[in-house]
Amino acid sequence: MNDAVVSPKHYKLKGLGDIESIDVLRAVLSKEEFSGFCHGNTLKYLIRAGKKDNKVQDLEKAKVYLQWLIENEMKGGETE
């Protein structure tokens, strides 16, 4: 995957060691809030796939958010 999907330049906070906004969100949101954020973004990119930008790029973005959601849900061995 390219940087436009995994690590877009416009989501880095300059002056803070180039920290990425996703890392800030992970740090300040609860586990449940971060899961909701990732779930919503997964759906957003699936819904808009092929309607705004490159369809494959939108699907790749959905995949990244889905992977983050899975990883977040697996943390701590919690189950619902």
Side-chain angles (χ1 to χ4, degrees), residues 21-57:
S21 58
I22 193 69
D23 294 324
V24 174
L25 291 166
R26 272 193 195 101
V28 300
L29 297 177
S30 69
K31 178 183 175 194
E32 293 77 18
E33 291 169 333
F34 187 72
S35 285
F37 172 77
C38 291
H39 190 173
N41 276 297
T42 299
L43 291 172
K44 173 183 77 173
Y45 285 114
L46 288 173
I47 290 167
R48 80 169 219 186
K51 296 177 184 165
K52 182 177 177 189
D53 296 321
N54 178 290
K55 183 177 184 177
V56 172
Q57 183 173 325

Side-chain angles (χ1 to χ4, degrees), residues 3-4 10 12 15-17 20 24-25 27 35 46 52 59 63 66-67 70 79-80:
D3 285 342
H10 57 275
K12 291 187 179 182
L16 296 174
E20 295 200 27
V24 174
L25 291 166
S35 285
L46 288 173
K52 182 177 177 189
L59 294 172
K63 185 168 70 172
L66 180 58
Q67 184 59 44
I70 292 166
T79 58
E80 291 188 57

